[in-house]
Amino acid sequence: MTFWLRRAGGLLACLLAFDLVLKGQLPPLGILVLSSVIGLSYALLAIGLILVYRANNLLNLSQAQMGAGPAILGVLMLKVWHVPYVVALGATVLAAAALGGLVEFVIMRRFARAPRLVAMIATIGLSLVLGLLQLVVPPWVFGVSLTGLGGRTVDSSPPTTPFSGLHFEISRVRFSGDVLVLVVITALAVAALTLFFRRSNVGMAIRASAENADRARLMGISVRRLSTVVWMIAAVLSALAIFLQTAITGTNLGVDIGPTALIYGLAAAIFARMESFPRALLGGIGVGVLTQSVYYVYNDPFLPGAIMVPTLLVVLLAQRGRLSRAEDAGLSSYKQAAEFRPLPPELRRLREVVWGRRVAAVVALAAVVLAPTRLDVGRQSLAAVVIVYAIVCVSLVILTGWSGQISLGQWGLAGVGAFIAGWFGGHLHADLFVTLLVAGLAGAAASLVIGLPALRIQGPFLAATTLAFAVSVQVLLLSPKYFGDFLPDTLHTVDRPVLYGRWSLDGPLSFYYVCLATLGCALASARSLRRTRAGRAIIGVRDNTRGAQSFGISVARTRIMAFVISGFWAAVAGALFVYQQGALDQSSFDPSVSILLLTIVVIGGVTSLPGAMLGAAYLGILRYGGFGTQLQTLATGLGVLILLLIAPGGVAQGFYSVRDTMLRWVAARHGILVPSLTEDRRVAGLEDARAGEVHTVTDSDEPPGPRDDEVHPLQAALA
Amino acid sequence: MSVPVPSKLLARYSPLVIAAAVQLVVVLVAPSTPVSLAGLGDQPGTGSGVTGGSGATGGATGTLGSSGTGSGTAGGSGTGGSGTGSGGTGSGTGGSTVGGSSGATGQVGSCPGLQPAPWAYMPPCRTFTGANAGASMPGVTAKEIRYVWYEGVTPAALAAIGSQAGLAFTEKQLCEGLTAYTKVVNKRWQLYGRHLVPLDGPGSHSGMANGDNSCRYPYYQGDNCDSTDAACWRAQADVIASMKPKPAFVVGGVQVQVPFLDELAKKHILVLGQGQVAAFAQPRAPYVWDWQMSGENVASFGAEYFCQKLAGKPVKYAGSEVLHSGSNPTVPPVRKIAIIHDVPVPDTFTASAKRFMSTVKGCGGGNVDEFPFAANVSTLPQDMQTIAAKIKLGGYTTVYLYMDLIAAIPLSNDLDAENWHPEMVIAGNGAIDDDKLAQLMNQNVWRYAFGPSLTKFSYALQQFDFYKAYKDSGATDDPAALMGNAWPYFWLAGDMFQTAGPAPTIGSIQAGMFSLPLMGGQPAHPAMQYGVPGDGYLGQRDIREVWWCPTRNAPNGRAGVYVGVDSDRRWQHGQIDKRMRVYPQGVCGA
């Protein structure tokens, strides 16, 4: 009885909130039904996200694109070859299953043991590859395309299906029979999936491996094979959604899931606690109804995206306890990010090592100080931008690398700083340092507000909230429509200051050094944090939340502290960016930049500050280094995919392996036995002897775990 | 766990506290604030006033008559510079920015060797003998007018696809086209002893590096900047601004983004490129120019078209369900108008859309409602579904499409799915009036498309000036069709430096261009005029009226083509009459 009362109370609260948001202007029933149909596509996206998340513990950002190609194939079979509907539908499903399996087998399997963040970033590259195939394959197979480019054009009208002729109206909004097909197939898919995972052996095995892959493996379950099945199902769901949607609305110029649509899918998945398919279905419909109703009533295209921030916060708060349990269920030995081994204490004081570090520091310092003087003014300007990005990367190391929280909206926090810079710098002409300080504090405050509910839970929940926040910052906070009184004038000018009334910062080089000095402060602050008890507590909470709690560490407070510090530096970077540009360009604060920044910091090495700097340098050199387009593509998702396939640890992996080689040489020269440097070689040697083949640790099925010589973070925290 | 004692804490954090205290004192004593609190329109000192001064020289040394001398003197004192014309509110102590316009009023007459053909945008010719004013503005010498052609990077995959679709040109074609146009402007326009010289980009931006031996045209090779990467665009502008020798002007063309134009304008460099809206070009005056029509003017034409022909009258050119949707099904209802417009980031559309609404409402169009949508590809399909349903539920009979075609494609499908086929009045912007692209629309809906069109795509190449100019350079082959996008920037540059006289300055260029009469206005060549109050820097001033014929073949061999009324006559403001032509007597048969 209490159960149903709570449900009824929750439903009533939702309806009241809905009514309040819409100011009592409920859209007509037809629009609500249409919104629900739209919501089905979010639901299918959410179910795909949940499937892969539960199986592989990663957010698959290529979920939509996996199905787009097969769906286009099916649609063109209908429109060009005029095959029967069932044949086209079957071909779509088969092609999607094949593609999903192929993607898992050829690409994602290589990331099976890689840190989860690395695997997630790899899916970004994957989505770009699949997006390109959407353009290239149809003209090749059919001699036509849906885009008007690359072959004879096929018009965009919906294909004729056996259900096209059937129509019905709900409060004058017209629906075709294909809508019914979409609804029925989606419902059947959800029911079948639910039954599959509850009743079938394979389904239960997938659930088991999702909860604890290592334990499932020990029980003889082939986790890899199951993973392939999951990816096949996810691709089929995506393809079905697009194929059935196309039968209703016709084709679009390719399928693109940008940040806004991704938020909607994530929101539905979060409502489902990343585990329940029926709830994902309800969540998707709810998101569809909410967003389209808001759009209908307010006639503002940006409000639906912006309203996702408070919606997600409310959802997170409302199901806080359950989400925590859902997350705790997954105790597999997946790592979010790879830790690089610290300098062994045995070698730290050796002369070669001491001098090696000094020389490396001097070379690095000389490079960042002197190299820009050799660049043209454009590159000097871009070098300053890269330094600004590097500051955001520092903030991501604190938040994602050390605290284990995924932020897909860190550039949104930079947008808060930009807003303050536009207001204080562009309007009030305030002192540079005052502006930076206020910007940092504003960023910290914003982090606190969005972090409080979300930080209580690990994983994708914060990712969704931060992404939604980044969207809101660009379209609301930085929009002259809403905050024009605080933003710079029509020229968007924010003049650079004269430092202490004496030194002009107008030139690109002088402001580069201001950015560099700020980066130095950010690095010093982060390094200092890492060395304090607070820093050790952050790492401890990341690695073993329950263990940390048992030692009296407040998990929520620790995470929020990391988020607030991280938000402070991200906002300072945003303010600096505005000064550097001399303008506040609303378009610069596109949410996709947040994903780009997370990408480069993962490429560099998200747990180490030097790694993050390497990531920023990677971006800067390849994107702004004046190389040809071929090399520049390495800085994009496609290049990232290739890079991560070759070196799953990113740029830092190479950097640290070179360092370790040198350290081994030094250790051998001094006759010092350093287990932390030689253990992995020894293990590899044993494996080789056992298997009789070339084999490395990363390829092994052994679950990664702490080595004997490693100091446990909790021990370190208490040291 | 040990709790740190205060003395330990103090020792650890005292350097930080001291540094913060020192910084606080410095902030109070010597704040780091900007010196100049001025915007572009009121920059003191270094702008055109300086260069305006040399107008005196121009007037003195040329043989252009008395008007040159007088105003040149005024320019001579322009060292304080009032800066930048119409946007300026500053207090420079110098002369007028148009001081250098002295040469602009030279003798008009026959010009042997110059201007042999009545090309659409060629100003009246001027004779000139003697010496010009020399280095009257940055990038101008006694013999040269240096300019930078910006060439962006097209991703290899996209270029390949574009090439398949006939929407691209080879590097050689581009090189030959730009070389030809430079040659033609030097040959046919009065540049007072100077000639246009393209500059090569510095270092990795060198365009010469990309040329083959058969064609060498120096240009600025742009970086592969993402459209949202404003920093990247601004940095490229910074490089151009710091080039030595400096360019007198930069052609950004249709390839650049707004931050690029903004940065060059802030650095007081003349730039020709798509400013899109007068609200952007006007505050940056007189540095950003383009030949295309401003967004405001597009909406203004739309409003006039509605007021003259459609507003307040019964709907006529829509599907039967719309024609019979009134309270009396036998009588078509009076038009109910919806404007659908996108809201880009930053928003340059909404203000014009609002103006359209108020104008149409003012001329008896009743309430006009707006349907804004985000230019966001990933949410567009869903938003268009809602808009389509809302249009049907609201009983809107006529839709004004102040948007580009990417959004129009799903909209056309969604309206058809709703079985609601209203009058689709195009605005003409966003390539929505291109035959090849309109063929992508749902033809059940698009058969009711008509309205203003800005350009004409379907003529044979031989009728266009860009073709004639290419041939005039001595070329034996034909130019690539897309060179039609390049030519306007050359005639624009030619006009600027001809009308500015022998002592060109930013002020004299502005004055010269503003003094030009309306040019063009023929079917293949839209009317152009600069200096229109409030919209002085974006040229196009007329439209044609088109109707979509879904059955007749376009030049690409596919069904679906826009048919112009009255043999593609073009209409300027005030000329649009109340008559509706051609349809429904048979647009396809016309």
Side-chain angles (χ1 to χ4, degrees):
Chain A
M1 187 64 182
T2 316
F3 174 84
W4 288 109
L5 276 177
R6 281 178 60 185
R7 286 288 177 281
L11 186 64
L12 192 64
C14 283
L15 288 176
L16 282 174
F18 189 60
D19 192 57
L20 199 65
V21 167
L22 299 180
K23 299 187 293 190
Q25 302 171 47
L26 201 66
L29 183 63
I31 293 287
L32 291 175
V33 174
L34 178 68
S35 307
S36 306
V37 173
I38 289 170
L40 289 180
S41 59
Y42 301 140
L44 287 171
L45 177 62
I47 291 170
L49 287 172
I50 291 170
L51 268 173
V52 176
Y53 180 75
R54 297 313 300 177
N56 294 148
N57 204 12
L58 71 91
L59 277 180
N60 175 20
L61 300 179
S62 63
Q63 172 61 28
Q65 280 80 0
M66 280 205 309
I72 289 173
L73 176 85
V75 171
L76 286 178
M77 284 175 77
L78 280 174
K79 296 192 77 160
V80 180
W81 290 348
H82 306 291
V83 301
Y85 180 77
V86 179
V87 174
L89 182 64
T92 299
V93 170
L94 286 176
L99 182 65
L102 196 70
V103 161
E104 198 283 333
F105 187 75
V106 175
I107 297 172
M108 295 315 296
R109 189 167 285 191
R110 293 171 184 272
F111 296 99
R113 309 301 304 177
R116 296 299 80 193
L117 271 171
V118 170
M120 185 182 91
I121 297 305
T123 63
I124 296 175
L126 181 60
S127 70
L128 284 181
V129 174
L130 295 172
L132 192 64
L133 289 177
Q134 282 179 53
L135 289 177
V136 174
V137 174
W140 182 59
V141 176
F142 296 94
V144 298
S145 87
L146 295 170
T147 59
L149 297 173
R152 194 164 58 81
T153 306
V154 170
D155 73 70
S156 63
S157 59
T160 306
T161 73
F163 317 98
S164 302
L166 176 67
H167 289 103
F168 61 97
E169 289 196 351
I170 300 175
S171 60
R172 291 196 60 228
V173 178
R174 188 171 185 248
F175 298 91
S176 73
D178 291 303
V179 169
L180 288 179
V181 175
L182 174 66
V183 171
V184 169
I185 289 187
T186 306
L188 283 177
V190 170
L193 276 176
T194 307
L195 281 176
F196 174 73
F197 281 103
R198 285 194 182 164
R199 309 276 179 193
S200 74
N201 287 339
V202 177
M204 280 190 281
I206 290 173
R207 284 168 58 203
S209 67
E211 288 200 358
N212 193 321
D214 304 318
R215 203 179 297 163
R217 196 178 290 117
L218 287 172
M219 296 184 74
I221 294 172
S222 173
V223 174
R224 286 179 172 181
R225 203 169 298 155
L226 293 179
S227 179
T228 309
V229 173
V230 166
W231 280 79
M232 289 167 77
I233 296 172
V236 167
L237 285 176
S238 172
L240 272 179
I242 297 166
F243 180 84
L244 298 173
Q245 191 72 36
T246 304
I248 300 164
T249 60
T251 57
N252 296 305
L253 297 178
V255 174
D256 180 34
I257 291 295
T260 313
L262 185 62
I263 291 168
Y264 297 161
L266 275 172
I270 284 171
F271 180 75
R273 299 181 223 138
M274 296 304 284
E275 61 181 13
S276 162
F277 299 136
R279 282 182 70 90
L281 186 64
L282 281 178
I285 292 171
V287 168
V289 169
L290 178 66
T291 53
Q292 293 304 315
S293 298
V294 166
Y295 184 35
Y296 184 93
V297 169
Y298 288 93
N299 215 21
D300 185 326
F302 296 121
L303 276 184
I307 203 171
M308 278 296 110
V309 179
T311 307
L312 279 168
L313 293 180
V314 168
V315 168
L316 286 169
L317 282 172
Q319 48 186 16
R320 200 176 58 209
R322 294 191 193 92
L323 282 171
S324 300
R325 280 197 294 279
E327 278 302 300
D328 277 354
L331 293 174
S332 291
S333 56
Y334 284 118
K335 290 182 296 182
Q336 277 297 1
E339 279 284 0
F340 297 103
R341 72 164 63 89
L343 207 56
E346 303 93 318
L347 305 179
R348 205 168 283 167
R349 291 179 201 282
L350 291 179
R351 201 173 48 183
E352 292 95 325
V353 176
V354 170
W355 275 101
R357 292 178 75 184
R358 283 179 187 167
V359 168
V362 168
V363 168
L365 196 63
V368 293
V369 170
L370 299 178
T373 59
R374 312 288 300 169
L375 302 174
D376 63 43
V377 291
R379 306 268 177 247
Q380 285 172 351
S381 184
L382 289 172
V385 172
V386 173
I387 296 292
V388 168
Y389 286 161
I391 298 172
V392 183
C393 288
V394 170
S395 76
L396 277 168
V397 168
I398 297 170
L399 182 66
T400 304
W402 296 348
S403 179
Q405 305 296 316
I406 303 172
S407 169
L408 291 177
Q410 206 69 354
W411 194 237
L413 290 168
V416 173
F419 174 79
I420 297 294
W423 182 12
F424 278 59
H427 255 285
L428 306 176
H429 306 292
D431 177 86
L432 169 70
F433 297 100
V434 171
T435 306
L436 292 183
L437 180 66
V438 175
L441 292 175
S447 299
L448 192 65
V449 171
I450 59 172
L452 267 175
L455 280 171
R456 289 170 176 269
I457 307 109
Q458 289 270 8
F461 305 100
L462 181 63
T465 316
T466 48
L467 185 59
F469 177 73
V471 169
S472 304
V473 165
Q474 191 199 23
V475 298
L476 291 184
L477 188 65
L478 300 180
S479 166
K481 178 180 174 185
Y482 300 103
F483 294 98
D485 290 345
F486 300 94
L487 296 170
D489 58 11
T490 51
L491 289 166
H492 313 295
T493 303
V494 180
D495 289 323
R496 284 189 202 159
V498 176
L499 196 60
Y500 304 127
R502 185 177 289 261
W503 295 288
S504 169
L505 298 179
D506 254 357
L509 197 57
S510 54
F511 203 78
Y512 168 84
Y513 289 121
V514 170
C515 296
L516 192 62
T518 313
L519 173 63
C521 292
L523 283 169
S525 144
R527 197 175 151 88
S528 166
L529 173 71
R530 180 67 183 81
R531 288 178 171 178
T532 60
R533 180 184 178 279
R536 292 191 293 272
I538 288 172
I539 303 282
V541 167
R542 178 196 71 185
D543 286 347
N544 190 336
T545 308
R546 285 179 182 169
Q549 280 173 317
S550 70
F551 281 94
I553 294 171
S554 165
V555 173
R557 199 180 305 158
T558 305
R559 286 180 183 160
I560 286 171
M561 179 179 65
F563 202 18
V564 165
I565 294 170
S566 158
F568 177 90
W569 282 115
V572 167
L576 266 183
F577 181 76
V578 169
Y579 276 110
Q580 196 280 330
Q581 291 289 288
L584 206 174
D585 294 308
Q586 197 184 354
S587 61
S588 288
F589 289 88
D590 192 275
S592 61
V593 179
S594 295
I595 298 174
L596 173 72
L597 289 173
L598 182 64
T599 303
I600 63 165
V601 85
V602 169
I603 286 173
V606 71
T607 52
S608 84
L609 291 170
M613 296 304 99
L614 282 173
Y618 170 85
L619 176 81
I621 291 169
L622 285 182
R623 202 170 184 198
Y624 299 139
F627 296 103
T629 46
Q630 278 77 14
L631 267 177
Q632 284 193 41
T633 54
L634 287 176
T636 67
L638 178 57
V640 167
L641 180 60
I642 295 166
L643 176 77
L644 292 180
L645 279 171
I646 296 166
V651 179
Q653 183 182 338
F655 172 77
Y656 281 102
S657 69
V658 169
R659 185 203 64 173
D660 288 350
T661 305
M662 292 167 74
L663 287 175
R664 282 190 198 101
W665 176 77
V666 171
R669 195 161 169 266
H670 286 269
I672 300 172
L673 180 65
V674 186
S676 65
L677 283 175
T678 53
E679 186 73 1
D680 48 357
R681 282 189 159 185
R682 194 176 63 78
V683 172
L686 285 174
E687 292 284 334
D688 290 348
R690 201 184 308 154
E693 58 185 19
V694 178
H695 203 58
T696 62
V697 170
T698 41
D699 291 330
S700 122
D701 277 344
E702 293 294 324
R707 290 180 298 276
D708 295 340
D709 59 305
E710 277 187 343
V711 179
H712 194 280
L714 284 174
Q715 290 172 312
L718 298 172
Chain B
M1 271 195 294
S2 63
V3 178
V5 293
S7 61
K8 259 187 169 177
L9 275 177
L10 200 64
R12 181 180 291 175
Y13 292 107
S14 57
L16 183 68
V17 172
I18 291 169
V22 169
Q23 180 62 39
L24 183 66
V25 171
V26 171
V27 164
L28 293 173
V29 175
S32 302
T33 52
V35 167
S36 160
L37 305 182
L40 181 62
D42 48 5
Q43 293 278 344
T46 58
S48 55
V50 175
T51 51
S54 50
T57 320
T61 55
T63 57
L64 292 170
S66 57
S67 63
T69 314
S71 53
T73 307
S77 61
T79 52
S82 63
T84 55
S86 61
T89 55
S91 56
T93 56
S96 155
T97 56
V98 297
S101 68
S102 53
T105 54
Q107 293 172 355
V108 177
S110 65
C111 310
L114 291 173
Q115 306 173 351
W119 290 353
Y121 309 117
M122 182 165 273
C125 76
R126 291 198 173 87
T127 54
F128 175 75
T129 54
N132 61 39
S136 57
M137 68 181 282
V140 173
T141 68
K143 293 189 171 178
E144 295 182 346
I145 299 167
R146 295 161 181 151
Y147 75 97
V148 165
W149 175 271
Y150 177 94
E151 186 59 34
V153 175
T154 308
L158 198 61
I161 292 169
S163 180
Q164 279 181 40
L167 291 174
F169 42 70
T170 64
E171 204 157 275
K172 188 163 180 284
Q173 281 176 310
L174 175 71
C175 177
E176 287 173 350
L178 298 178
T179 305
Y181 293 151
T182 305
K183 195 173 163 185
V184 165
V185 172
N186 287 333
K187 184 173 147 190
R188 302 297 184 194
W189 266 257
Q190 177 57 276
L191 300 179
Y192 310 100
R194 301 184 181 93
H195 56 281
L196 294 182
V197 176
L199 295 178
D200 199 16
S204 61
H205 297 292
S206 168
M208 288 293 273
N210 297 332
D212 58 24
N213 287 330
S214 63
C215 181
R216 307 278 285 174
Y217 175 83
Y219 61 88
Y220 182 97
Q221 176 60 65
D223 284 330
N224 192 12
C225 293
D226 189 83
S227 62
T228 59
D229 192 351
C232 187
W233 288 106
R234 286 184 187 279
Q236 294 190 86
D238 289 343
V239 174
I240 292 173
S242 66
M243 277 173 63
K244 288 188 176 66
K246 284 189 175 304
F249 68 96
V250 177
V251 184
V254 295
Q255 310 175 72
V256 294
Q257 298 290 323
V258 160
F260 178 86
L261 306 175
D262 180 48
E263 190 70 15
L264 283 174
K266 278 181 184 168
K267 295 195 182 311
H268 298 267
I269 292 177
L270 190 63
V271 55
L272 318 182
Q274 55 173 358
Q276 298 175 339
V277 286
F280 175 81
Q282 209 67 27
R284 288 156 183 84
Y287 292 103
V288 181
W289 298 74
D290 197 17
W291 62 271
Q292 298 184 76
M293 187 182 285
S294 68
E296 292 90 338
N297 205 14
V298 171
S300 173
F301 268 113
E304 192 174 330
Y305 186 86
F306 266 87
C307 285
Q308 288 294 334
K309 297 176 187 287
L310 306 174
K313 297 171 184 166
V315 60
K316 194 171 177 184
Y317 313 113
S320 62
E321 74 287 349
V322 176
L323 296 177
H324 300 112
S325 62
S327 51
N328 178 357
T330 58
V331 180
V334 172
R335 286 189 175 93
K336 188 174 180 186
I337 301 163
I339 172 172
I340 306 181
H341 67 92
D342 58 340
V343 187
V345 174
D347 182 8
T348 49
F349 272 55
T350 301
S352 300
K354 300 268 186 210
R355 216 165 20 244
F356 169 89
M357 291 162 65
S358 63
T359 306
V360 175
K361 187 180 176 185
C363 71
N367 280 332
V368 183
D369 294 317
E370 66 171 332
F371 294 82
F373 63 91
N376 180 343
V377 179
S378 68
T379 53
L380 202 58
Q382 294 83 356
D383 290 355
M384 283 300 147
Q385 275 183 284
T386 301
I387 285 181
K390 217 172 163 179
I391 282 179
K392 181 184 179 183
L393 290 183
Y396 293 94
T397 61
T398 307
V399 175
Y400 180 53
L401 300 158
Y402 188 52
M403 57 201 261
D404 64 25
L405 85 154
I406 290 179
I409 291 172
L411 176 71
S412 68
N413 282 323
D414 294 327
L415 283 170
D416 191 39
E418 288 292 348
N419 193 32
W420 190 253
H421 304 93
E423 294 174 328
M424 305 290 278
V425 183
I426 62 171
N429 57 345
I432 208 165
D433 55 354
D434 180 272
D435 294 336
K436 289 191 289 294
L437 301 173
Q439 288 163 359
L440 291 167
M441 309 292 176
N442 186 306
Q443 296 301 310
N444 291 337
V445 169
W446 215 249
R447 64 192 304 161
Y448 303 108
F450 62 95
S453 164
L454 303 189
T455 45
K456 174 66 183 170
F457 291 86
S458 300
Y459 281 132
L461 293 186
Q462 289 79 355
Q463 297 188 46
F464 289 92
D465 276 359
F466 83 87
Y467 181 91
K468 296 173 193 166
Y470 185 77
K471 288 291 190 186
D472 189 49
S473 73
T476 51
D477 58 343
D478 285 353
L482 282 187
M483 290 310 292
N485 289 338
W487 168 245
Y489 295 104
F490 283 89
W491 67 250
L492 185 54
D495 285 9
M496 283 178 161
F497 285 91
Q498 174 168 322
T499 57
T505 66
I506 191 68
S508 66
I509 286 171
Q510 183 193 43
M513 290 301 287
F514 280 17
S515 70
L516 276 176
L518 188 132
M519 303 176 290
Q522 302 86 32
H525 298 101
M528 301 279 167
Q529 188 171 27
Y530 294 90
V532 174
D535 185 14
Y537 302 90
L538 292 113
Q540 189 172 339
R541 300 292 159 193
D542 65 2
I543 57 157
R544 62 185 180 129
E545 184 188 350
V546 294
W547 293 78
W548 179 252
C549 169
T551 52
R552 194 200 289 186
N553 275 7
N556 67 350
R558 298 262 299 152
V561 65
Y562 284 108
V563 179
V565 303
D566 277 6
S567 306
D568 281 319
R569 179 187 163 174
R570 304 194 73 94
W571 313 77
Q572 295 161 27
H573 278 302
Q575 294 179 341
I576 298 172
D577 57 22
K578 295 184 181 300
R579 249 182 75 207
M580 290 300 280
R581 292 168 172 80
V582 178
Y583 196 87
Q585 285 75 21
V587 58
C588 295

